[in-house]
Amino acid sequence: MSLLVDALTLVATLDGEVWQVTAVSLQVSFVALALALALAVPAGYALAGARSGVAQAASGVLHALAALPTVVVGLTLYFALSASGPLGWMDLLYTKAAMVAGQTILAFPILAALTLGAVRRLPPSARETVQTMGIRGVARMRVVLNEVRPALVSAALIAFARVFTELGAAVILGGNIRHHTRTLTTVIALEHTRGDDARALAMGLVLLGIALAVNAVVHGAAALRGDGE
Amino acid sequence: MTGPTLALRGFAVGHGGHVVAHVPDGDLVPGRLHLVRGANGSGKTTFLKTLAGLLPPVAGRVDPRLAPGPGGAVYVHSTPYLMRGTVGRNLRIVPGARPDVIDRWLTALELGALAAAPAATLSSGQRQRVALARALVAAPRCLLLDEPEGGLDDASLARWRRVLTELVQAGDTLVVLAAHGATALDQVPVTEIHLTP
């Protein structure tokens, strides 16, 4: 109990470095989420339009990939980006870009799978209406995705929660370098290892607070737009 | 009468190569209302969707001029799907829709006051009218209506039948309508199409 009191006291008196770490966490996760949305939502939409068997198989694979352990993604990308790896020439290891890449890979299957599912669950009359109105190509994608917008908002929140709170890829690909690639999750692990559990818990409370705040803001905005699920 | 005539020869419709209904040989001509008759399950919807290009015919072919969309074939569901957002947005999603054309059909179907209303808040009759207006905004060469009068109250029904009568009389649009019960348009000639198994 005294640990929690210590942690809460620390939260109230957190120093500038904590906010810098928080900023790195938010920056990496939001960029990764934006990239994953840009890639995964059109991919999920396209797969939803495939033949039924193909779409079902793709859905199964994406759901399996959504459960990829973060350390496995981190390690795999680490080998690819290390000096002797195939992408070593990019010199990205221990940068925020490498962390963004890892988190994008983590978010992609979640977003693609949920987009695919949401589009396929639309009633046949929705697809027929779009078709009979002669809405094609990119315009069709925009109209259809707008029909499943509440599901996309939920998917984005789930994907954000996954990448913002993950440790494996962040620590392996970013290296927990102070003032550079240190994030809330990597610093929590570090402080715990050092034995400063009060500080680790304080960071944990900040992480939890931000994750909850993002959820609240997005849900609030969706409710105002009449987009609630 | 400037619209196209559509010939139906050896036409059969169904799903996955399995015939649901044979269509009697004949021509769809402008200036007439084509009334598709048959009991539930007789293939009326399948026939309309096939003419609309939403399903491939099992036998015969659909005129290539009837590609789905504006200027081609447009099908209206018996229980229409309306897009999220306002009534106005549902009409604006029609490719190439002009604001004056949208206003014209909103007014004709007495939807002007509802233009800014969310589609999700409408009654079934109002939804039906929005779907009809949306189809008319597309100015189709062939308009395929599946039980369009369900949910319309007496006032809406009278107004809708006036709109439909004018549309048929103008002669630019082939109108094919599937109806379970009676659909009487006093001032236009009717061709009945009886589907057979």
Side-chain angles (χ1 to χ4, degrees):
Chain A
M1 197 59 189
S2 72
L3 183 65
L4 187 59
V5 173
D6 288 351
L8 286 169
T9 314
L10 271 173
V11 170
T13 59
L14 281 174
D15 47 52
E17 190 173 343
V18 173
W19 301 122
Q20 191 199 10
V21 167
T22 305
V24 172
S25 281
L26 285 170
Q27 189 190 356
V28 168
S29 294
F30 274 123
V31 173
L33 181 65
L35 275 176
L37 279 169
L39 297 170
V41 171
Y45 167 80
L47 287 168
R51 282 189 298 120
S52 186
V54 175
Q56 264 168 18
S59 177
V61 170
L62 287 169
H63 274 96
L65 290 177
L68 270 179
T70 60
V71 283
V72 171
V73 170
L75 265 182
T76 309
L77 207 50
Y78 173 87
F79 293 134
L81 292 174
S82 64
S84 55
L87 301 176
W89 56 273
M90 295 172 87
D91 203 18
L92 286 179
L93 202 56
Y94 305 135
T95 64
K96 281 186 265 190
M99 299 160 79
V100 165
Q103 294 194 352
T104 304
I105 292 170
L106 288 170
F108 181 93
I110 298 174
L111 294 169
L114 293 178
T115 303
L116 194 168
V119 172
R120 281 178 65 82
R121 277 193 307 276
L122 278 173
S125 59
R127 282 193 293 278
E128 287 171 351
T129 298
V130 173
Q131 194 183 346
T132 198
M133 286 297 151
I135 303 168
R136 299 190 184 89
V138 176
R140 180 181 293 195
M141 182 170 81
R142 285 180 53 191
V143 168
V144 170
L145 290 179
N146 190 58
E147 292 308 296
V148 297
R149 200 168 58 193
L152 296 186
V153 171
S154 289
L157 281 175
I158 293 168
F160 177 77
R162 166 114 159 126
V163 298
F164 186 63
T165 60
E166 73 87 21
L167 169 66
V171 77
I172 293 174
L173 295 168
N176 191 29
I177 302 168
R178 195 176 179 193
H179 302 311
H180 186 45
T181 58
R182 186 163 290 180
T183 67
L184 281 168
T185 54
T186 61
V187 81
I188 288 169
L190 177 72
E191 298 293 358
H192 171 68
T193 315
R194 280 179 178 163
D196 193 346
D197 280 337
R199 195 166 164 83
L201 188 56
M203 301 286 198
L205 291 172
V206 173
L207 183 72
L208 181 65
I210 292 174
L212 291 177
V214 168
N215 255 277
V217 167
V218 173
H219 270 294
L224 281 179
R225 292 187 63 149
D227 275 357
E229 275 273 77
Chain B
M1 300 211 180
T2 55
T5 296
L6 186 67
L8 294 173
R9 300 285 182 272
F11 203 67
V13 300
H15 297 277
H18 170 72
V19 175
V20 172
H22 291 93
V23 183
D25 288 351
D27 295 322
L28 305 182
V29 294
R32 300 184 72 86
L33 176 68
H34 303 87
L35 209 50
V36 187
R37 292 299 202 178
N40 286 332
S42 61
K44 299 193 295 291
T45 295
T46 307
F47 172 53
L48 293 187
K49 286 186 178 177
T50 305
L51 280 183
L54 301 176
L55 292 171
V58 178
R61 64 180 202 101
V62 180
D63 193 308
R65 288 173 297 182
L66 295 190
V74 169
Y75 169 79
V76 182
H77 290 87
S78 55
T79 307
Y81 182 88
L82 298 188
M83 303 294 165
R84 290 160 48 77
T86 64
V87 168
R89 178 173 181 272
N90 268 275
L91 273 57
R92 287 194 298 275
I93 63 156
V94 178
R98 295 208 322 261
D100 57 319
V101 175
I102 290 174
D103 286 346
R104 176 185 162 205
W105 292 116
L106 281 174
T107 308
L109 288 163
E110 283 218 327
L111 291 164
L114 291 173
T121 62
L122 303 183
S123 72
S124 65
Q126 288 168 332
R127 296 174 68 82
Q128 195 81 47
R129 281 189 283 150
V130 173
L132 295 167
R134 181 171 63 188
L136 290 166
V137 167
R141 202 186 283 262
C142 183
L143 179 61
L144 303 144
L145 304 166
D146 201 348
E147 308 269 3
E149 299 185 347
L152 296 184
D153 58 29
D154 289 347
S156 300
L157 193 59
R159 196 171 307 109
W160 157 244
R161 286 185 173 172
R162 263 202 310 282
V163 169
L164 188 60
T165 300
E166 286 170 17
L167 191 73
V168 174
Q169 287 174 339
D172 297 320
T173 313
L174 289 173
V175 181
V176 186
L177 189 152
H180 189 55
T183 294
L185 293 189
D186 306 332
Q187 296 153 40
V188 299
V190 171
T191 301
E192 293 209 350
I193 301 171
H194 293 272
L195 303 177
T196 51

